[in-house]
């Protein structure tokens, strides 16, 4: 019989996220649990089917292959570990182990006995904001930052007990951190009330960390910020987050980049934008103006007749990409400046120039001419309507 679609098995849409997949799988796993369906072969089949579907869809690589090629794309990796039935062969016992490990974070024995392994938790990931100048972001820089976080206690080396004192497995849960309680026909797993889920009992708690194995302290880190970072980029420092609980691995520290506004440049991705004021005469006759870049001064050629808001692109004068082998551009936006503080002679010369340029036409000012024509057309149509 052909396999059912994995999304159909779990009863979720194809765009479901990891949380939706996990919730659907847990519901099915509990529904078809053998303790609730003893001797029911169809329940066993549905349980294995749900397990297989979840194993594939919860793995990003397998899910991508399944979405593209269907069951053929995951044939070699899906469905493994289902050998055996409800008997002593152990295949389905391994499935139960995986369920409890997924949902409760506790290592369970193959035949229902606990291994006595202490429950551990990975430390939290942390974020630390760093503000850079545009130049620092463009060329990279090493920053020294202080980070206050929960760190492994140095006095007890994270064990939670005074050096030389005894740490023993909890006698109530036999080191698992979990106990079973009977509710009607069902067995319910709960946190051990004696050790509070730790799986162990400390005879003499550490005086520095009060038995937690962690203390809050500040450490100083040297962080290399790569060239080309942009606002909201994150630099990951593996293992520099909070210390884990119960000997668990530490979390990571993420450096979140912010960039201060620059007095000259605006940034867009790897390009830089700069406003360049140019004199009226240079705009009319053409010439060169000096503009700054992050690497020094360059000359911008301005053609005759340049207008305000004209964009000129200077290739390779922007910011080098942090991931690819290219550099952005410098985009110069011109602003033609009207002369101010004129002398009487300068005003006279401008009037002579205006008379020479206009001469009863708009040959030298085409935008003004088009605008005037539009105004005339507007009033002519208005007169006709009246």
């Amino acid at each position: 019989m052909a396999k059912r679609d994995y999304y159909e098995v779990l009863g979720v849409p194809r765009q479901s996220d990891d949380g939706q997949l996990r919730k659907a799988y847990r519901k099915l796993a509990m529904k078809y649990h053998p303790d609730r369906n003893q001797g029911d072969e169809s329940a066993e089949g549905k349980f294995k089917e749900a397990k297989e579907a979840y194993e594939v869809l919860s793995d990003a690589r397998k899910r991508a292959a399944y979405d593209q090629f269907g069951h053929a794309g995951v044939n070699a990796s899906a469905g493994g570990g289902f050998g055996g039935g409800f008997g002593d062969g152990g295949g389905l016992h391994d499935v139960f182990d995986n369920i409890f490990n997924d949902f409760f974070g506790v290592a369970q024995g193959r035949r229902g006995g606990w291994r006595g392994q202490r429950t551990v938790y990975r430390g939290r990931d942390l974020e630390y904001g760093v503000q850079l100048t545009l130049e620092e972001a463009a060329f990279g820089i090493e920053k020294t930052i202080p980070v206050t976080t929960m760190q492994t206690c140095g006095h007890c080396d994270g064990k939670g007990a005074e050096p030389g004192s005894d740490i023993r497995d909890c006698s109530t849960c036999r080191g698992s951190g979990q106990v079973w309680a009977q509710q009607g026909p069902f067995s319910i797993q709960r946190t051990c009330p004696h050790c509070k889920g730790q799986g162990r009992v400390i005879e003499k708690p550490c005086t520095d960390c009060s038995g937690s194995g962690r203390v809050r302290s500040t450490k100083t880190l040297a962080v290399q910020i790569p060239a080309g970072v942009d606002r909201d980029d994150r630099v990951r420092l593996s293992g520099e987050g909070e210390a884990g609980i119960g000997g668990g691995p530490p979390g990571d520290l993420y450096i979140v980049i912010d960039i201060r506004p620059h007095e000259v440049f605006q940034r867009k991705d790897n390009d830089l934008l700069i406003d360049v004021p140019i004199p009226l005469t240079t705009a009319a006759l053409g010439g060169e103006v000096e503009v700054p870049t992050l690497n020094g001064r360059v000359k911008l050629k301005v053609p005759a007749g340049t207008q305000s808001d004209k964009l000129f692109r200077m290739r390779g004068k922007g910011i080098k990409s942090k991931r690819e082998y290219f550099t952005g551009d410098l985009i110069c936006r011109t602003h033609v400046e009207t002369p101010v503080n004129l002398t009487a002679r300068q005003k006279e010369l401008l009037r002579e120039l205006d008379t020479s340029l206009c001469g009863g036409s708009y040959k030298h000012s085409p935008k003004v001419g088009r605008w005037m024509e539009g105004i005339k057309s507007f009033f002519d149509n208005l007169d006709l309507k009246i």
Side-chain angles (χ1 to χ4, degrees):
M1 187 175 74
K3 286 186 178 181
R4 286 201 298 157
D5 179 80
Y6 285 148
Y7 293 99
E8 179 185 341
V9 170
L10 296 181
V12 295
R14 300 188 77 85
Q15 65 271 22
S16 298
D17 58 25
D18 291 342
Q20 291 172 303
L21 291 173
R22 185 178 179 86
K23 183 177 180 180
Y25 169 52
R26 180 172 184 173
K27 181 178 179 181
L28 291 173
M30 293 303 177
K31 180 177 180 180
Y32 296 114
H33 194 287
D35 285 351
R36 300 185 179 186
N37 304 274
Q38 294 186 13
D40 188 344
E41 293 185 2
S42 66
E44 176 185 353
K46 291 177 180 178
F47 181 87
K48 292 192 292 184
E49 187 180 42
K51 176 66 177 176
E52 179 179 337
Y54 181 70
E55 282 187 341
V56 171
L57 299 183
S58 62
D59 184 300
R61 181 180 58 82
K62 293 179 183 178
R63 184 175 181 177
Y66 177 74
D67 287 344
Q68 186 171 2
F69 302 109
H71 292 291
V74 292
N75 235 5
S77 56
F82 290 103
F86 283 94
D88 293 334
L92 202 55
H93 289 289
D94 291 338
V95 175
F96 295 148
D97 289 350
N98 290 335
I99 290 177
F100 289 119
N101 198 30
D102 285 345
F103 294 144
F104 302 108
V106 179
Q108 188 194 30
R110 186 181 183 93
R111 295 303 183 93
W114 298 93
R115 296 189 187 119
Q117 178 177 323
R118 182 189 176 194
T119 304
V120 299
Y121 299 94
R122 180 180 181 272
R124 286 193 309 155
D125 292 337
L126 301 176
E127 288 188 353
Y128 186 95
V130 171
Q131 193 174 63
L132 306 177
T133 65
L134 180 63
E135 290 83 358
E136 290 172 339
F139 299 114
I141 190 173
E142 183 176 277
K143 286 282 188 179
T144 301
I145 61 172
V147 180
T148 302
T149 181
M150 298 300 295
Q151 300 179 41
T152 300
C153 177
H155 183 61
C156 67
D157 198 24
K159 297 180 174 63
E162 275 292 306
S165 63
D166 188 30
I167 302 176
R168 57 182 175 80
D169 286 345
C170 174
S171 58
T172 302
C173 64
R174 289 183 288 179
S176 71
Q178 305 288 323
V179 294
W180 290 92
Q182 195 73 25
Q183 287 191 356
F186 306 116
S187 294
I188 306 298
Q189 189 183 44
R190 292 175 177 171
T191 300
C192 176
H194 185 215
C195 66
K196 303 298 188 292
Q198 292 299 305
R200 62 178 192 165
V201 176
I202 299 174
E203 296 294 340
K204 187 178 180 182
C206 171
T207 54
D208 284 8
C209 65
S210 301
S212 68
R214 305 189 305 169
V215 293
R216 181 171 294 278
S217 60
T218 300
K219 58 184 175 182
T220 301
L221 299 174
V223 183
Q224 186 62 49
I225 306 297
V229 294
D230 203 351
R231 181 175 284 109
D232 295 329
D233 281 352
R234 302 202 306 171
V235 178
R236 177 172 173 258
L237 300 181
S238 180
E240 296 294 352
E242 280 196 352
I245 298 176
D252 299 330
L253 174 64
Y254 290 90
I255 307 301
V256 183
I257 303 299
D258 187 28
I259 301 176
R260 288 195 290 269
H262 198 273
E263 59 183 4
V264 175
F265 301 107
Q266 298 176 48
R267 179 176 179 176
K268 181 173 177 57
D269 298 327
N270 293 98
D271 293 335
L272 293 176
L273 176 66
I274 184 174
D275 290 327
V276 182
I278 57 176
L280 177 64
T281 51
T282 303
L285 303 176
E288 288 185 341
V289 293
E290 190 176 72
V291 296
T293 73
L294 292 179
N295 295 295
R297 296 182 177 90
V298 295
K299 295 288 187 179
L300 171 66
K301 292 184 178 180
V302 180
T306 294
Q307 305 295 319
S308 286
D309 295 327
K310 176 73 174 178
L311 299 180
F312 295 92
R313 184 179 294 270
M314 306 186 77
R315 300 287 181 182
K317 298 299 184 182
I319 295 177
K320 186 175 180 180
S321 171
K322 64 180 181 294
R323 294 190 182 92
E324 301 176 33
Y325 297 100
F326 79 92
T327 302
D329 304 327
L330 176 65
I331 302 172
C332 302
R333 180 170 58 196
T334 60
H335 290 277
V336 179
E337 186 176 29
T338 302
V340 296
N341 302 320
L342 300 177
T343 65
R345 177 56 181 159
Q346 289 169 335
K347 291 178 182 178
E348 182 182 352
L349 289 173
L350 279 178
R351 291 190 187 99
E352 291 178 8
L353 178 62
D354 179 61
T355 301
S356 173
L357 290 175
C358 292
S361 71
Y362 298 104
K363 176 182 177 181
H364 303 292
S365 303
K367 287 186 178 180
V368 175
R370 287 193 296 270
W371 186 79
M372 294 300 294
E373 286 295 328
I375 294 298
K376 182 178 181 301
S377 176
F378 169 76
F379 282 114
D380 287 345
N381 290 334
L382 187 63
D383 291 339
L384 289 175
K385 291 178 182 179
I386 294 175

